[in-house]
Amino acid sequence: MVADDQSTIRARDAAQAPPETAVPGLVVIFTRGQPACAPIPLGGGAIELGRAPADDVVVVEDDQVSRRHARISLSGQGIEIADLGSRNGTFVDGKQIESQVFPSLPRVLRLGSTLLRFAADIAPFQRGGVLQHEDGLVGPTLREVREKVARAGMRGDTLLLTGPSGSGKELAARAFHAATGRSGPFVAVNCAAIPEGLAERLFFGARRGAYSDANADAEGYVQAAHGGTLFLDEVAELDASVQPKLLRVLETREVVALGDTRPRKVEFRLCAATLRDLQAEVATRRFREDLYYRIGRPEVRIPALTDRLEELPWLVAAELRRDGARLAPSVGLLESCALRAWPGNVRELLREVRQAGLAAREGGRTVVEASDLAPSAGLDITEVAKRTPAPVEMRRIAIEMALRRERGNVTRAARSLGMHRNQLRRWLARHSVDAAAFADPRARGARGE
């Protein structure tokens, strides 16, 4: 099913730019109480948005929008947005404006009960809206990523997926497996969850008698993936003792189980995923350089939810309708969600939306408002930008906030961040951060370097 609502916008005809030229613009992502995905080009001078059925107005069919509501134009100084004396005001990134020039593209524009996102290039949106697949929603931004993943599956035997936690790397890995056309199994391994000392046995299997408790032959992940795809999630956490042996398996297509003397032929595709910079891990010698060169190309980055805002209203609306609940999001709720960073991406967003829905139901309401979101939900994007532009430091901020929220409980903090607890413990040890310091809510400044 194509979940697209072009009928909400009757955009005037615009000259089509060449395919290689980026077309900046706006995309209506929510209007009249429903998710949408309708692009509006910003080129060739100023445009006006409103309800007036006129040739010089892009019509937004929303009773809360004035006949001539706002004017938007691009210039050498940036993007100028002016309110045209509207009844309900014009809001850019949550703040009401009269007339202002923004040197870079803001995130969202709110007119009445309509929410629009800014896009540096609306060409992907002109080719199609948000699609409902059997494994979830796919918007224009993510669709281009999935096309790259599919090409990798058809052409090669390895793929490296990068991107933040919760962004959908396992779904992309399954799409890679499907594109290979192989009927064999998809074997998913969370490298961060493997207990120390068991990695070699779990990966390569063991013969009976190989060690004291080996009462029978046991196949490993590599043997189990024969004829299919081996997916190594959080590959940066792969045990150092396993790395050279995995490289040899990839190069020889043979595996030797513990306690065995003869190699066994194996054939599989390998998809690895990580939220860390593997090249940086190689530079610090935490990851083998030769293994990186074997599995590091092609690389496809899965964008964070904050880079695919067109999916957000669909995700929120679907979550609020789960299990027969008759709840609906307000435009204010979606605007608030769009203006927060979600370190745990879709996983974290939906958890907080569920809680907001419960708060609305307890108040006897069917429309979920921004005020129903917990103050601790997500990260304020403007505050994050003020504190640091660096992704590594943003990760530290997210981890510390999660630990503070969970009073130092590593397991709950890891779950809220979409991490395995062992992975979080290793991060804490690497950065000398004491989780116990967050058990006391007064320890707000506690951080180790």
Side-chain angles (χ1 to χ4, degrees):
M1 179 183 70
V2 178
D4 199 346
D5 190 1
Q6 297 282 2
S7 65
T8 59
I9 297 296
R10 297 197 302 272
R12 59 183 178 176
D13 292 337
Q16 294 296 314
E20 67 275 7
T21 302
V23 181
L26 289 158
V27 180
V28 177
I29 61 174
F30 186 79
T31 189
R32 294 185 297 174
Q34 297 294 327
C37 191
I40 303 172
L42 282 178
I47 66 167
E48 289 189 8
L49 301 174
R51 284 192 300 112
D55 291 340
D56 59 343
V57 175
V58 176
V59 178
V60 180
E61 295 179 344
D62 178 350
D63 292 342
Q64 302 301 311
V65 170
S66 298
R67 290 177 60 79
R68 290 181 180 268
H69 198 111
R71 179 186 296 112
I72 304 172
S73 59
L74 290 174
S75 68
Q77 285 71 46
I79 182 168
E80 182 177 359
I81 304 173
D83 183 80
L84 301 178
S86 67
R87 182 174 73 253
N88 292 317
T90 298
F91 296 80
V92 177
D93 286 350
K95 297 179 180 178
Q96 187 169 3
I97 59 105
E98 297 297 330
S99 180
Q100 190 171 337
V101 176
F102 298 85
S104 58
L105 284 179
R107 294 183 64 74
V108 289
L109 171 70
R110 174 162 57 89
L111 311 175
S113 60
T114 296
L115 190 66
L116 307 93
R117 68 157 292 189
F118 291 89
D121 185 11
I122 63 167
F125 300 90
Q126 291 173 321
R127 292 194 288 270
V130 178
L131 304 178
Q132 176 69 57
H133 282 263
E134 66 278 0
D135 55 2
L137 293 167
V138 179
T141 304
L142 195 56
R143 186 165 58 246
E144 292 196 334
V145 169
R146 290 182 68 127
E147 289 170 357
K148 294 178 182 177
V149 168
R151 286 196 295 271
M154 291 184 286
R155 294 175 181 173
D157 61 359
T158 62
L159 173 66
L160 176 64
L161 298 169
T162 58
S165 176
S167 56
K169 293 191 288 294
E170 181 164 347
L171 290 178
R174 291 184 180 276
F176 170 80
H177 173 60
T180 66
R182 297 191 170 199
S183 59
F186 176 85
V187 178
V189 180
N190 184 347
C191 298
I194 297 176
E196 292 185 14
L198 298 181
E200 187 173 357
R201 173 159 60 96
L202 291 174
F203 266 90
F204 308 116
R207 293 296 301 274
R208 179 180 178 182
Y211 50 91
S212 57
D213 294 329
N215 300 319
D217 292 348
E219 76 173 4
Y221 300 134
V222 168
Q223 292 95 329
H226 180 65
T229 300
L230 178 62
F231 173 50
L232 301 183
D233 198 10
E234 305 299 351
V235 71
E237 306 287 343
L238 188 61
D239 191 285
S241 66
V242 169
Q243 293 182 28
K245 297 175 181 178
L246 178 61
L247 176 63
R248 180 166 179 79
V249 169
L250 292 172
E251 291 181 338
T252 64
R253 296 295 172 178
E254 294 180 340
V255 60
V256 180
L258 288 177
D260 206 346
T261 57
R262 291 182 299 177
R264 170 183 166 183
K265 287 287 185 182
V266 286
E267 185 63 36
F268 60 91
R269 300 285 182 94
L270 178 74
C271 182
T274 180
L275 51 79
R276 302 215 324 243
D277 183 344
L278 270 193
Q279 287 185 311
E281 297 298 304
V282 168
T284 56
R285 299 190 177 184
R286 287 194 290 263
F287 198 84
R288 287 183 65 101
E289 184 177 29
D290 48 7
L291 180 57
Y292 170 73
Y293 287 134
R294 184 64 180 79
I295 69 171
R297 290 292 183 270
E299 176 183 338
V300 176
R301 180 166 182 81
I302 311 298
L305 179 61
T306 52
D307 297 323
R308 2 191 281 248
L309 290 180
E310 67 275 8
E311 295 176 26
L312 193 147
W314 302 93
L315 291 165
V316 172
E319 185 60 35
L320 292 177
R321 292 195 303 266
R322 188 181 296 277
D323 299 327
R326 296 183 178 181
L327 297 173
S330 70
V331 68
L333 171 70
L334 296 172
E335 180 185 50
S336 182
C337 289
L339 295 176
R340 301 187 189 202
W342 300 97
N345 284 281
V346 175
R347 188 184 298 120
E348 181 185 9
L349 168 74
L350 297 186
R351 183 197 66 200
E352 296 296 343
V353 166
R354 276 194 296 275
Q355 294 303 312
L358 289 173
R361 292 177 71 173
E362 289 172 359
R365 292 176 284 109
T366 59
V367 176
V368 185
E369 304 289 349
S371 58
D372 293 316
L373 276 176
S376 60
L379 298 174
D380 186 298
I381 243 167
T382 56
E383 290 303 314
V384 169
K386 288 177 186 176
R387 290 180 66 172
T388 173
V392 171
E393 185 63 18
M394 180 175 170
R395 181 164 178 76
R396 175 185 282 273
I397 294 170
I399 288 174
E400 291 187 355
M401 287 187 69
L403 286 169
R404 191 171 295 121
R405 185 168 59 243
E406 302 297 346
R407 302 293 181 89
N409 186 299
V410 173
T411 299
R412 291 201 302 266
R415 187 181 302 122
S416 72
L417 292 165
M419 302 169 66
H420 191 276
R421 62 181 180 275
N422 291 346
Q423 183 184 1
L424 180 54
R425 288 194 180 104
R426 283 195 281 267
W427 188 96
L428 295 173
R430 188 181 305 125
H431 295 274
S432 301
V433 176
D434 182 8
F438 297 89
D440 182 355
R442 293 171 297 179
R444 293 190 172 274
R447 73 159 43 171
E449 298 295 340

